[in-house]
Amino acid sequence: MSEDELRAEVLTARRIVVKVGSSSLTTAAGGIDADRVDALVDALAKVRTRSDAPEIVLVSSGAIAAGLSPLGLEKRPKDLARQQAAASVGQGLLIARYTASFARYGLRVGQVLLTAEDASRRAHYRNAYRTLDQLLAMGAMPVVNENDTVATAEIKFGDNDRLAALVAHLVRADLLVLLSDVDGLYDGDPSRPGTSRIAEVAGPHDLDGIEIGSAGKAGVGTGGMVTKVEAARIATGAGIPVVLTAASHAADALAGRPTGTLFLRTGSRSSDRMLWLAHASSPRGTLHLDAGAVTAVVSGGASLLPAGVTKVDGEFAAGDPVDLLAENGHIVARGLVNFDARELPRLLGRSTRDLAQEFGAAYEREVVHRDDLVVLRG
C-alpha cells in the first residue's frame, strides 16, 4: 500500500471499536486533560456525524488515572484498595467529561462497565451484547471501561487493550482502532535513531525479530506496546483488522489515511464462547494430562476423558474454567470442567464405562467436553 492510498479496511467498516489509553487522556500527575479529551471527541464526532457514519464503540481507560489528583495521590498506587478508590472517583469524572464533550455535537453517551466475569459467563455475555447493541441502535455512543471499582486481580481483563479486542468481537465490529501515545509499531525503540515505523503487519512472521517495548511513556496506565500487539493478535485472528496509532492521529486513522500500523486480519470470526474462554476467562485450577490425552485433545479434536488425567490442582466447581497441562507443564488447552475438584481424584486414569458401573450413569461423561474446550497451543 502506498502512502497515497486510503485504507479500504477503514472505509468499509460499518461498526468500529476505538480504544484510547490513560496516557492520551490524563496528565502525568493524574487528572483529566480536558483538551485531550475534547480533541479525541472532535475526531470521533466528525465520523459519527457523517451522512454514511459507521457506528462507534469507545473503550476508554483513564478512570484510575483521573482519580489520582482529586484524592491527593502523586502516582498510581500499587495496592488494589486504593486503585479501586481512585477508579470510583475517576470514573464519574471521566464519563462526565465525555458527556459534556460529546454534547457539543448533540451526541449522547452511555457508560458500560465490564469485568472479565461478565465476559466469561454466558448470560452476562449476552446481556453485555444486548446493551451495547441497543445503545448503538438508539444513536448513543457506548463508552466501555473495565469496572475497576469491583474487579479483583482474579477477575480482571488485565489491560484495556485486550478488553477492546474482546469487545470488538462481542459487538461484531469490522475494525479496531488502538490509540496510544506512540504513532504505530516500530522495528525498535522509537526514541533511538535508525528505527522506523512498520506500516503494515500481514501476520506473526512480520514481527519476527522486532523489539517490542513493555511499558508506556506516562506511567499512569497498565499497558504498553506488548499489550497492543497482543490485542491486535486476538482481533485479527478473529477476522477484525486493527489500526494502531497515536491519539493525536485519530482523525487520520478514522478517515482511512495510512497513519500508524495496520494489522491485517489473519483468521475468520470464531465462536464467541471460545474466544472469550481463551482470552477472558480466569482458570480456577489445572488438570495434568498424559501424552495420549494431549494428542487426543490438541490434534484429534477429542473431549478430555478421566483416563487421560493424571493429577488435579486447585479448588473449582463444575462449570469453572480450568487449564489443561501437558507432561512438561505447558498449557495446551482451556475448558469448562464437568466435575468438582473434590470429585476428580477418584476418577483419574479410569474409563468412563468402569466409572458408570461403580458410581452410576452420571459418571459416564467427559471431564471436559470438546464443545467447551479451546486449544491454546499445538
Side-chain angles (χ1 to χ4, degrees):
M1 178 185 295
S2 73
E3 288 296 311
D4 296 327
E5 292 178 336
L6 296 178
R7 288 169 167 164
E9 290 84 358
V10 177
L11 299 179
T12 58
R14 305 315 307 154
R15 181 171 285 185
I16 302 172
V17 171
V18 176
K19 185 267 175 180
V20 62
S22 300
S23 59
S24 301
L25 299 172
T26 59
T27 65
I32 297 172
D33 188 323
D35 291 338
R36 289 184 174 187
V37 173
D38 287 348
L40 172 64
V41 169
D42 290 343
L44 299 180
K46 184 176 181 180
V47 175
R48 282 291 293 117
T49 54
R50 289 189 337 221
S51 59
D52 60 341
E55 297 172 326
I56 295 178
V57 175
L58 176 61
V59 176
S60 177
S61 299
I64 293 177
L68 299 182
S69 180
L71 289 176
L73 298 171
E74 295 182 357
K75 59 182 180 180
R76 183 186 177 98
K78 294 182 179 180
D79 61 289
L80 182 61
R82 287 195 297 168
Q83 288 179 17
Q84 291 173 326
S88 179
V89 172
Q91 189 63 54
L93 296 172
L94 185 63
I95 199 65
R97 182 64 246 174
Y98 276 129
T99 299
S101 194
F102 277 110
R104 296 177 296 141
Y105 296 92
L107 296 173
R108 294 183 176 86
V109 302
Q111 180 175 246
V112 180
L113 301 177
L114 298 175
T115 67
E117 189 172 34
D118 294 326
S120 57
R121 295 188 180 276
R122 186 180 300 182
H124 294 199
Y125 180 92
R126 288 198 302 264
N127 288 338
Y129 170 75
R130 281 197 294 262
T131 298
L132 290 164
D133 194 56
Q134 190 61 54
L135 282 169
L136 292 170
M138 298 177 74
M141 172 82 71
V143 179
V144 180
N145 196 359
E146 181 159 16
N147 193 351
D148 289 311
T149 61
V150 299
T152 63
E154 290 76 20
I155 59 169
K156 286 179 70 67
F157 287 99
D159 61 80
N160 273 356
D161 295 312
R162 184 164 64 123
L163 170 60
L166 295 168
V167 167
H169 190 269
L170 168 65
V171 301
R172 297 167 173 79
D174 305 304
L175 176 70
L176 170 62
V177 178
L178 298 173
L179 301 177
S180 180
D181 52 3
V182 182
D183 65 342
L185 177 64
Y186 281 71
D187 57 9
D189 186 341
S191 65
R192 292 205 301 254
T195 57
S196 57
R197 177 173 57 86
I198 301 171
E200 189 172 287
V201 175
H205 57 279
D206 287 344
L207 300 179
D208 291 344
I210 300 299
E211 178 185 340
I212 300 174
S214 60
K217 293 180 178 179
V220 294
T222 59
M225 194 55 66
V226 168
T227 66
K228 290 166 181 56
V229 171
E230 174 63 12
R233 185 187 69 81
I234 294 171
T236 56
I240 304 167
V242 176
V243 174
L244 167 62
T245 192
S248 57
H249 297 170
D252 287 337
L254 292 168
R257 288 186 278 274
T259 183
T261 302
L262 171 65
F263 294 80
L264 299 174
R265 58 176 65 87
T266 59
S268 57
R269 182 170 178 84
S270 58
S271 161
D272 291 334
R273 292 182 64 236
M274 293 301 99
L275 190 80
W276 288 75
L277 180 60
H279 299 291
S281 63
S282 297
R284 301 290 196 265
T286 57
L287 305 181
H288 297 256
L289 279 56
D290 63 27
V294 171
T295 300
V297 167
V298 173
S299 304
S303 298
L304 175 62
L305 301 176
V309 183
T310 61
K311 182 183 175 183
V312 177
D313 293 321
E315 293 292 332
F316 51 82
D320 282 344
V322 294
D323 281 340
L324 312 187
L325 274 60
E327 291 177 316
N328 60 8
H330 292 163
I331 299 172
V332 295
R334 182 172 299 161
L336 303 179
V337 67
N338 286 325
F339 295 93
D340 294 344
R342 288 175 294 181
E343 287 184 282
L344 274 174
R346 62 176 179 169
L347 313 182
L348 304 188
R350 303 181 62 182
S351 72
T352 53
R353 179 178 298 178
D354 288 344
L355 292 172
Q357 290 177 348
E358 182 172 349
F359 301 117
Y363 284 83
E364 192 172 10
R365 67 184 192 273
E366 307 84 354
V367 175
V368 179
H369 193 278
R370 64 182 179 182
D371 291 344
D372 294 322
L373 183 152
V374 58
V375 175
L376 299 181
R377 60 186 296 173

